[in-house]
């Protein structure tokens, strides 16, 4: 480093050298170090150029080069704000195409989140059901729906789900068809009992009639004359 000078420096530079240019910039300005062969030349700028971001310090503000591949402008060392032409920006990184589930926002090269889909409010929860039945179970599922009002680039596949399902518990109740079936089975059982009783009574009456008939046809033997 050649002899430091405080006079004869470029505008905005408080301290400089013949060999390395500016060494200290005025407050509010940023120092940018450019390499020239084996030398680093310092220059003072009001803002950092593309490919650099400004880092403010109490002693001196510096321009630091972006470390992100294919980044044209960055906010910090590892967060890009603008990619090189033809590349898409997503969460501070540059991509050839937007990651799966994302799409470029209208007229820009920034990948938008599916959350930017315009959705309607959720509808009310439906009844608790199981296998499309509303009875005969204790634990089932209930669902609710919403509509897609507007999707990025018109692609609804990028939007979040329109249906939501959750578990539900209800007081177990018997289905009406189950009650009817049970009632029919009970009726058949009662009819069977009555039929068996009627058959039994019929058999019993037949036996009684046969007994009376036998009693009526038995011949009476005359008593022998007394000797």
């Amino acid at each position: 480093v050649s002899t430091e000078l405080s006079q004869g420096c470029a505008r905005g530079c408080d301290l400089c050298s013949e060999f390395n240019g500016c060494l200290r910039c005025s407050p509010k300005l940023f120092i940018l170090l450019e390499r020239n062969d084996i030398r680093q030349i310092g220059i003072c700028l009001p803002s950092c150029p593309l490919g650099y971001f400004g880092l403010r310090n109490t002693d001196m503000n510096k321009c630091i080069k972006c470390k992100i591949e294919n980044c044209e402008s960055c906010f910090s060392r590892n967060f890009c704000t603008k990619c090189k032409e033809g590349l898409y920006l997503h969460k501070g990184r540059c991509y050839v195409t937007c990651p799966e589930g994302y799409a470029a926002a209208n007229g820009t090269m920034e990948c938008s989140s599916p959350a930017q889909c315009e959705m309607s409010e959720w509808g009310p929860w439906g009844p608790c059901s199981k296998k499309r039945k509303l009875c005969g179970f204790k634990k089932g599922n209930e669902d609710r729906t919403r509509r897609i009002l507007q999707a990025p680039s018109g692609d609804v596949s990028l939007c979040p789900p329109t249906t939501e399902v959750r578990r539900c518990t209800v007081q177990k109740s018997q289905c009406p068809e189950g009650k009817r079936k049970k009632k029919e089975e009970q009726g058949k059982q009662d009819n069977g009992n009555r039929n068996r009783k009627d058959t039994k009574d019929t058999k019993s009456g037949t036996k009684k009639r046969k007994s009376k008939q036998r009693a009526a046809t038995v011949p009476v033997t005359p008593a022998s004359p007394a000797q």
Side-chain angles (χ1 to χ4, degrees):
V1 178
S2 62
T3 307
E4 297 178 356
L5 302 173
S6 59
Q7 295 179 352
C9 295
R11 184 177 179 182
C13 181
D14 293 344
L15 185 64
C16 61
S17 75
E18 183 181 351
F19 189 79
N20 295 106
C22 190
L23 302 177
R24 186 176 68 234
C25 295
S26 301
K28 297 184 179 180
L29 296 181
F30 293 88
I31 186 168
L32 173 66
L33 299 178
E34 293 183 328
R35 184 167 291 279
N36 184 3
D37 292 332
I38 62 172
R39 292 191 302 168
Q40 276 191 333
I41 306 297
I43 59 174
C44 298
L45 300 170
S47 61
C48 296
L50 291 177
Y52 292 81
F53 71 96
L55 181 64
R56 294 184 182 275
N57 289 318
T58 54
D59 55 341
M60 186 167 53
N61 302 325
K62 299 178 181 180
C63 288
I64 299 178
K65 191 174 182 63
C66 300
K67 297 296 183 180
I68 304 164
E69 188 176 1
N70 297 318
C71 182
E72 189 173 285
S73 178
C74 59
F75 173 75
S76 63
R77 189 184 300 271
N78 296 310
F79 195 93
C80 188
T81 55
K82 184 180 180 182
C83 297
K84 291 182 179 179
E85 186 176 357
L87 299 178
Y88 292 90
L89 177 66
H90 176 64
K91 293 185 177 180
R93 294 287 187 275
C94 299
Y95 300 87
V96 177
T97 59
C98 289
E100 185 178 355
Y102 294 82
N106 298 334
T108 69
M109 296 297 286
E110 294 187 20
C111 301
S112 62
S113 167
Q116 292 181 354
C117 287
E118 187 177 351
M119 309 293 292
S120 68
E121 295 293 329
W122 284 106
W125 287 102
C128 193
S129 63
K130 185 177 183 180
K131 295 181 179 179
R132 298 185 178 180
K133 290 188 176 182
L134 302 177
C135 54
F137 62 89
K138 186 175 181 181
K139 292 185 176 181
N141 294 318
E142 59 184 3
D143 57 32
R144 62 178 183 176
T145 59
R146 59 180 175 178
R147 295 180 296 109
I148 299 174
L149 302 178
Q150 186 175 356
S153 304
D155 189 354
V156 296
S157 65
L158 300 176
C159 295
T162 57
T163 302
E164 191 174 52
V165 180
R166 69 179 182 183
R167 298 285 293 171
C168 55
T169 304
V170 295
Q171 186 175 0
K172 187 174 181 180
S173 60
Q174 192 173 5
C175 296
E177 57 269 22
K179 292 181 180 180
R180 287 197 299 270
K181 187 175 180 181
K182 187 175 181 180
K183 192 172 182 180
E184 289 174 0
E185 290 177 353
Q186 184 65 38
K188 288 180 181 179
Q189 186 176 356
D190 293 342
N191 289 335
N193 292 338
R194 283 197 297 271
N195 291 336
R196 285 195 296 272
K197 184 177 181 182
D198 293 343
T199 302
K200 187 176 180 181
D201 293 343
T202 302
K203 289 181 179 180
S204 178
T206 302
K207 287 181 180 180
K208 288 181 180 179
R209 285 196 298 274
K210 287 183 178 180
S211 297
K212 289 181 180 180
Q213 290 175 359
R214 284 197 298 270
T217 56
V218 173
V220 178
T221 304
S224 302
Q227 298 295 327

